[in-house]
PDB file of all heavy atoms in Angstrom:
ATOM      1  N   ILE V  24      95.630 106.980 108.723  1.00 97.00           N
ATOM      2  CA  ILE V  24      95.224 106.860 107.338  1.00 97.00           C
ATOM      3  C   ILE V  24      93.686 106.838 107.256  1.00 97.00           C
ATOM      4  O   ILE V  24      93.082 107.528 106.457  1.00 97.00           O
ATOM      5  CB  ILE V  24      95.805 105.588 106.629  1.00 97.00           C
ATOM      6  CG1 ILE V  24      97.290 105.813 106.441  1.00 97.00           C
ATOM      7  CG2 ILE V  24      95.124 105.252 105.311  1.00 97.00           C
ATOM      8  CD1 ILE V  24      98.090 104.543 106.084  1.00 97.00           C
ATOM      9  N   VAL V  25      93.063 106.071 108.165  1.00 98.00           N
ATOM     10  CA  VAL V  25      91.623 106.022 108.166  1.00 98.00           C
ATOM     11  C   VAL V  25      90.983 107.329 108.528  1.00 98.00           C
ATOM     12  O   VAL V  25      90.091 107.814 107.829  1.00 98.00           O
ATOM     13  CB  VAL V  25      91.075 104.904 109.170  1.00 98.00           C
ATOM     14  CG1 VAL V  25      89.580 105.045 109.358  1.00 98.00           C
ATOM     15  CG2 VAL V  25      91.422 103.533 108.656  1.00 98.00           C
ATOM     16  N   ALA V  26      91.634 108.037 109.490  1.00 98.00           N
ATOM     17  CA  ALA V  26      91.130 109.360 109.820  1.00 98.00           C
ATOM     18  C   ALA V  26      91.224 110.356 108.639  1.00 98.00           C
ATOM     19  O   ALA V  26      90.326 111.146 108.388  1.00 98.00           O
ATOM     20  CB  ALA V  26      91.925 109.951 111.014  1.00 98.00           C
ATOM     21  N   LYS V  27      92.319 110.301 107.844  1.00 98.00           N
ATOM     22  CA  LYS V  27      92.483 111.089 106.659  1.00 98.00           C
ATOM     23  C   LYS V  27      91.427 110.761 105.612  1.00 98.00           C
ATOM     24  O   LYS V  27      90.940 111.638 104.917  1.00 98.00           O
ATOM     25  CB  LYS V  27      93.879 111.055 106.052  1.00 98.00           C
ATOM     26  CG  LYS V  27      94.958 111.517 106.965  1.00 98.00           C
ATOM     27  CD  LYS V  27      94.889 112.987 107.059  1.00 98.00           C
ATOM     28  CE  LYS V  27      96.089 113.514 107.883  1.00 98.00           C
ATOM     29  NZ  LYS V  27      96.079 114.954 108.017  1.00 98.00           N
ATOM     30  N   LEU V  28      91.145 109.458 105.467  1.00 97.00           N
ATOM     31  CA  LEU V  28      90.175 109.049 104.501  1.00 97.00           C
ATOM     32  C   LEU V  28      88.791 109.549 104.929  1.00 97.00           C
ATOM     33  O   LEU V  28      87.940 109.952 104.016  1.00 97.00           O
ATOM     34  CB  LEU V  28      90.169 107.518 104.310  1.00 97.00           C
ATOM     35  CG  LEU V  28      91.368 106.926 103.614  1.00 97.00           C
ATOM     36  CD1 LEU V  28      91.321 105.374 103.691  1.00 97.00           C
ATOM     37  CD2 LEU V  28      91.421 107.399 102.195  1.00 97.00           C
ATOM     38  N   VAL V  29      88.478 109.527 106.206  1.00 98.00           N
ATOM     39  CA  VAL V  29      87.227 110.089 106.688  1.00 98.00           C
ATOM     40  C   VAL V  29      87.095 111.543 106.347  1.00 98.00           C
ATOM     41  O   VAL V  29      86.042 112.075 105.848  1.00 98.00           O
ATOM     42  CB  VAL V  29      87.002 109.822 108.153  1.00 98.00           C
ATOM     43  CG1 VAL V  29      85.860 110.603 108.775  1.00 98.00           C
ATOM     44  CG2 VAL V  29      86.846 108.325 108.480  1.00 98.00           C
ATOM     45  N   ALA V  30      88.158 112.296 106.541  1.00 98.00           N
ATOM     46  CA  ALA V  30      88.211 113.732 106.292  1.00 98.00           C
ATOM     47  C   ALA V  30      87.979 113.939 104.781  1.00 98.00           C
ATOM     48  O   ALA V  30      87.220 114.817 104.351  1.00 98.00           O
ATOM     49  CB  ALA V  30      89.512 114.353 106.736  1.00 98.00           C
ATOM     50  N   ARG V  31      88.672 113.143 103.932  1.00 97.00           N
ATOM     51  CA  ARG V  31      88.584 113.272 102.494  1.00 97.00           C
ATOM     52  C   ARG V  31      87.094 112.994 102.063  1.00 97.00           C
ATOM     53  O   ARG V  31      86.540 113.698 101.254  1.00 97.00           O
ATOM     54  CB  ARG V  31      89.463 112.270 101.751  1.00 97.00           C
ATOM     55  CG  ARG V  31      89.560 112.440 100.305  1.00 97.00           C
ATOM     56  CD  ARG V  31      90.513 111.410  99.649  1.00 97.00           C
ATOM     57  NE  ARG V  31      90.834 111.741  98.295  1.00 97.00           N
ATOM     58  CZ  ARG V  31      90.021 111.551  97.267  1.00 97.00           C
ATOM     59  NH1 ARG V  31      88.801 111.058  97.447  1.00 97.00           N
ATOM     60  NH2 ARG V  31      90.411 111.889  96.030  1.00 97.00           N
ATOM     61  N   ALA V  32      86.515 111.965 102.652  1.00 96.00           N
ATOM     62  CA  ALA V  32      85.139 111.626 102.364  1.00 96.00           C
ATOM     63  C   ALA V  32      84.172 112.805 102.626  1.00 96.00           C
ATOM     64  O   ALA V  32      83.183 113.039 101.867  1.00 96.00           O
ATOM     65  CB  ALA V  32      84.662 110.367 103.080  1.00 96.00           C
ATOM     66  N   GLY V  33      84.434 113.605 103.649  1.00 97.00           N
ATOM     67  CA  GLY V  33      83.691 114.748 104.021  1.00 97.00           C
ATOM     68  C   GLY V  33      83.785 115.833 102.836  1.00 97.00           C
ATOM     69  O   GLY V  33      82.730 116.402 102.473  1.00 97.00           O
ATOM     70  N   TYR V  34      84.926 115.976 102.333  1.00 97.00           N
ATOM     71  CA  TYR V  34      85.133 116.939 101.225  1.00 97.00           C
ATOM     72  C   TYR V  34      84.444 116.430 100.008  1.00 97.00           C
ATOM     73  O   TYR V  34      83.753 117.214  99.212  1.00 97.00           O
ATOM     74  CB  TYR V  34      86.579 117.169 100.935  1.00 97.00           C
ATOM     75  CG  TYR V  34      87.219 118.070 101.968  1.00 97.00           C
ATOM     76  CD1 TYR V  34      88.023 117.528 102.970  1.00 97.00           C
ATOM     77  CD2 TYR V  34      87.037 119.408 101.924  1.00 97.00           C
ATOM     78  CE1 TYR V  34      88.625 118.313 103.974  1.00 97.00           C
ATOM     79  CE2 TYR V  34      87.632 120.240 102.899  1.00 97.00           C
ATOM     80  CZ  TYR V  34      88.365 119.674 103.961  1.00 97.00           C
ATOM     81  OH  TYR V  34      88.907 120.463 104.854  1.00 97.00           O
ATOM     82  N   ILE V  35      84.477 115.134  99.739  1.00 95.00           N
ATOM     83  CA  ILE V  35      83.753 114.518  98.615  1.00 95.00           C
ATOM     84  C   ILE V  35      82.252 114.725  98.688  1.00 95.00           C
ATOM     85  O   ILE V  35      81.538 115.080  97.753  1.00 95.00           O
ATOM     86  CB  ILE V  35      84.163 113.086  98.369  1.00 95.00           C
ATOM     87  CG1 ILE V  35      85.685 112.904  98.142  1.00 95.00           C
ATOM     88  CG2 ILE V  35      83.313 112.381  97.261  1.00 95.00           C
ATOM     89  CD1 ILE V  35      86.186 113.689  96.989  1.00 95.00           C
TER      90      ILE V  35
END
Side-chain angles (χ1 to χ4, degrees):
I24 291 168
V25 170
K27 294 290 186 182
L28 290 172
V29 168
R31 188 183 193 283
Y34 286 101
I35 298 305

